Amino acid sequence: MNKEKKIVCNKNDEFELEITDLGSTGEGIGKIDGYTLFVKDALIGDKVRVKVMKTKKNYGYARMLEIIEPSEYRVESECPVARQCGGCQLQHCSYEKQLSWKEEKVANCLRRIGGVPVYTEEKYRKYKNAEEQQNAENTAESKTPIIMEPILRMDKPVHYRNKAQFPVGYDKDGNPVAGFYAGRTHSIIPQTDCLIQHECNKQIVETVLEFMKKYNVTAYDEKKNRGIVRHILTRVGKATGEVMVCLVINAKKLPYSEEFVEMIKNCGINLEIKSINGILEIKNIAVDSK
């Protein structure tokens, strides 16, 4: 006898939801009568009011409307655009909880995919007390468990990434902007001072935008397939102190490229630019075509 599947929720339904887990990309997970909802910006321990945005057979996606009771792990993000930006997922989560989540994420991959019985200390305590795990057969959990060493933490978890890529576009007033895409979109959230990228990026990106305005160099328009500057790419050599600046462009040559190199060289950070043939060699390093 076929049983009809119960419809738990539909698009635009609103619910109160308790968040009990985090997904692989940091989104909160809650359940309504066994039906899983993924909620961006929600944390384990949050009680939230959500609006269902998309449903599939066994799971759906919801938008957080209100935090009814905040999680003990919730903190105030230092980044003013953390919620809109798609570059970070856990700025609203305490650093200690971030480390705990990342530890378990690694251990779970080793158990589930690799078949290696690896546990964090916290997970192993739960494993020992779970009767169903003690009775498991022919699984990684039935083998002699391995306790994973704790994750190494940073003294100050900011400005640690040495590579950054900023898409370039325009704001509503027609000014060139750079930043990061909002989650699952190509809408640019303007931001030059990213907390997780190297500090030198702020001066570099603002100098590129100043160059574009000064010499009327256009930003690329994805819809119309026209315009020149698509992305600003930087890399910082932490051992050497060198910084690489690349422009990804929709053209064979960047207009006013010599002026661009001079502005970057004099933008206020200690850039070391090496070349053999002077400015032409710098151009080849600093400017990429499409």
Side-chain angles (χ1 to χ4, degrees), residues 59-121:
Y59 63 94
Y61 298 93
R63 179 165 60 90
M64 186 166 63
L65 300 176
E66 177 189 0
I67 300 172
I68 299 169
E69 293 179 14
S71 165
E72 63 179 302
Y73 310 118
R74 182 170 286 279
V75 297
E76 190 69 31
S77 172
E78 294 181 42
C79 176
V81 295
R83 188 165 181 184
Q84 304 99 297
C85 179
C88 302
Q89 290 78 38
L90 292 172
Q91 288 286 334
H92 55 293
C93 181
S94 71
Y95 184 47
E96 294 301 327
K97 187 59 181 176
Q98 288 185 43
L99 295 180
S100 172
W101 174 69
K102 290 172 183 176
E103 278 185 351
E104 180 50 37
K105 190 175 179 181
V106 172
N108 185 54
C109 286
L110 290 169
R111 287 196 308 272
R112 184 172 54 85
I113 302 171
V116 182
V118 174
Y119 292 86
T120 62
E121 289 187 7

Side-chain angles (χ1 to χ4, degrees), residues 116-142:
V116 182
V118 174
Y119 292 86
T120 62
E121 289 187 7
E122 180 182 354
K123 194 77 174 182
Y124 180 60
R125 286 195 295 270
K126 295 179 181 178
Y127 161 78
K128 282 187 69 176
N129 296 329
E131 292 182 4
E132 65 272 21
Q133 296 293 347
Q134 292 174 7
N135 296 326
E137 295 179 3
N138 300 320
T139 66
E141 283 82 356
S142 65

Side-chain angles (χ1 to χ4, degrees), residues 1-2 4 7 17 26 29 33 40 44 103 115 121 126 136-137 147 172 203 214 244 251 253 256 290:
M1 182 178 178
N2 292 329
E4 265 187 50
I7 298 175
L17 190 67
I29 297 176
D33 295 334
K40 183 180 179 294
I44 294 175
E103 278 185 351
E121 289 187 7
K126 295 179 181 178
E137 295 179 3
I147 310 302
K172 62 182 180 180
Q203 197 64 37
K214 182 175 181 179
M244 180 179 76
K253 183 179 178 182
Y256 302 100
K290 181 179 175 183

